[in-house]
Amino acid sequence: DTGVSQDPRHKITKRGQNVTFRCDPISEHNRLYWYRQTLGQGPEFLTYFQNEAQLEKSRLLSDRFSAERPKGSFSTLEIQRTEQGDSAMYLCASSSGHSNSPLHFGNGTRLTVT
Amino acid sequence: KNEVEQSPQNLTAQEGEFITINCSYSVGISALHWLQQHPGGGIVSLFMLSSGKKKHGRLIATINIQEKHSSLHITASHPRDSAVYICAVSGSGTYKYIFGTGTRLKVLA
């Protein structure tokens, strides 16, 4: 068990470019979450998956954001036509789905849009 | 008003002090997490509670479901406890977690 891993750790991109982040959850975890965190704030919910099904998506997520978990294992989060306001830490977390299972977080992908 | 409120926002303590961080929430919940975040971003789950009290080492977490309130206590605080402590709740009927803005703790030697 290597924990939740996210790639890349850091991404710097120019406004208008597309970016894609990857999250590999703990292997037996069927729930996967994406959160966004800006400086001094707690994480904000973006979306979550149970296996390959995207069960909930935040109204914060504009049409420029899309997430997939095609085989119920790793997940990708894509941001199209990035804006400076998208600069944040993007966090992935997973859990096993049992009623008392804790969340396990990755170290996040820090996005800077210039 | 946020659905999850933490107090205080910032806390500075001397090594050895007993520390309490509070979390109040306004929604029905199925579970509450206390999380620790160190500079650099990594978040670690400390406790998951749905009732009562849990203890792990010098950390104690309590929850009062009727009052919609939870506390995280640190006994004999140490500089390595310096971090941001975040409360997160999972609402009833959803597995989505709502996070507080965190309490930034600094423990001085």
Side-chain angles (χ1 to χ4, degrees):
Chain A
D1 177 3
T2 57
V4 179
S5 63
Q6 291 188 245
D7 184 68
R9 287 296 306 275
H10 304 274
K11 178 72 177 177
I12 300 173
T13 191
K14 291 186 177 179
R15 190 174 51 191
Q17 298 295 305
N18 299 343
V19 293
T20 299
F21 309 141
R22 177 178 170 125
C23 171
D24 286 89
I26 292 172
S27 58
E28 66 270 22
H29 284 183
N30 58 16
R31 292 212 184 103
L32 185 148
Y33 302 80
W34 284 101
Y35 289 90
R36 178 173 65 189
Q37 187 177 28
T38 52
L39 198 63
Q41 300 296 314
E44 289 178 292
F45 171 78
L46 294 178
T47 189
Y48 103 89
F49 292 84
Q50 178 140 334
N51 300 312
E52 65 275 9
Q54 188 174 18
L55 295 188
E56 199 165 343
K57 186 174 173 180
S58 169
R59 286 169 291 179
L60 295 173
L61 235 57
S62 74
D63 291 343
R64 297 184 297 106
F65 287 71
S66 62
E68 294 183 342
R69 195 182 183 197
K71 297 180 182 177
S73 56
F74 74 91
S75 175
T76 57
L77 177 69
E78 181 183 15
I79 309 173
Q80 297 182 323
R81 304 180 304 281
T82 52
E83 302 172 357
Q84 287 186 319
D86 298 330
S87 296
M89 176 75 86
Y90 289 84
L91 293 163
C92 177
S94 70
S95 72
S96 70
H98 297 302
S99 59
N100 289 319
S101 59
L103 282 175
H104 295 260
F105 281 84
N107 287 324
T109 293
R110 183 170 296 282
L111 173 66
T112 302
V113 182
T114 60
Chain B
K1 183 171 163 56
N2 294 333
E3 292 169 297
V4 180
E5 298 266 358
Q6 287 186 238
S7 64
Q9 288 189 316
N10 295 283
L11 180 57
T12 300
Q14 293 293 324
E15 184 174 358
E17 284 187 11
F18 179 85
I19 288 163
T20 296
I21 299 170
N22 297 298
C23 175
S24 296
Y25 52 91
S26 57
V27 296
I29 69 166
S30 57
L32 181 144
H33 277 264
W34 281 103
L35 307 158
Q36 181 190 56
Q37 185 171 32
H38 281 279
I43 296 178
V44 174
S45 179
L46 299 174
F47 294 103
M48 181 172 176
L49 294 163
S50 53
S51 64
K53 176 180 174 178
K54 287 189 176 179
K55 184 176 189 293
H56 182 70
R58 294 180 295 105
L59 301 178
I60 303 166
T62 64
I63 188 168
N64 184 318
I65 298 293
Q66 287 74 28
E67 294 185 4
K68 295 187 174 178
H69 181 270
S70 176
S71 293
L72 175 69
H73 305 285
I74 305 175
T75 61
S77 59
H78 190 276
R80 64 175 174 266
D81 297 327
S82 299
V84 177
Y85 292 84
I86 303 172
C87 170
V89 301
S90 172
S92 298
T94 175
Y95 293 103
K96 177 181 81 176
Y97 282 85
I98 305 168
F99 289 74
T101 55
T103 294
R104 188 174 301 276
L105 172 65
K106 187 171 185 179
V107 181
L108 304 174

